[in-house]
């Protein structure tokens, strides 16, 4: 495999989004928006007293750092 092709293959695999994270908060959307870092994403209303945040992890470690572990 040529060097250019290997570089392209590695670059493309790095550009893939990580696993999706779907978080439901039991708090009004305005309350959660005011407390989340802007770069994390924008929660959407979900029901009368809750909201939901859906994002793709930037890397595979994000799930474990956010407490998203099995068991």
């Amino acid at each position: 495999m040529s060097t250019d092709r290997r570089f392209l293959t590695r670059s493309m695999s790095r550009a893939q989004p990580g696993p999706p994270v779907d978080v439901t908060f039991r708090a009004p959307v305005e309350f959660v928006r005011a407390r989340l870092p802007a770069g994390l994403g924008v929660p959407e209303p979900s029901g009368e007293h809750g909201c939901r945040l859906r994002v793709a992890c930037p890397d595979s470690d994000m799930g474990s750092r956010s407490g998203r572990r099995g068991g």
Side-chain angles (χ1 to χ4, degrees):
M1 186 183 297
S2 73
T3 303
D4 291 337
R5 187 174 175 133
R6 279 183 281 188
F7 176 77
L8 180 60
T9 301
R10 284 194 315 257
S11 297
M12 288 173 62
S13 66
R14 288 184 190 138
Q16 299 299 317
V21 174
D22 192 340
V23 182
T24 301
F25 296 94
R26 292 183 184 159
V29 69
E30 297 83 11
F31 180 87
V32 175
R33 280 184 186 157
R35 287 158 179 79
L36 284 178
L40 190 57
V42 179
E44 302 171 359
S46 173
E48 190 175 334
H49 299 289
C51 61
R52 188 174 190 177
L53 177 67
R54 295 183 217 181
V55 295
C57 293
D59 60 46
S60 60
D61 279 348
M62 179 84 165
S64 61
R65 285 196 307 257
S66 66
R68 189 176 166 223
R69 288 191 154 161

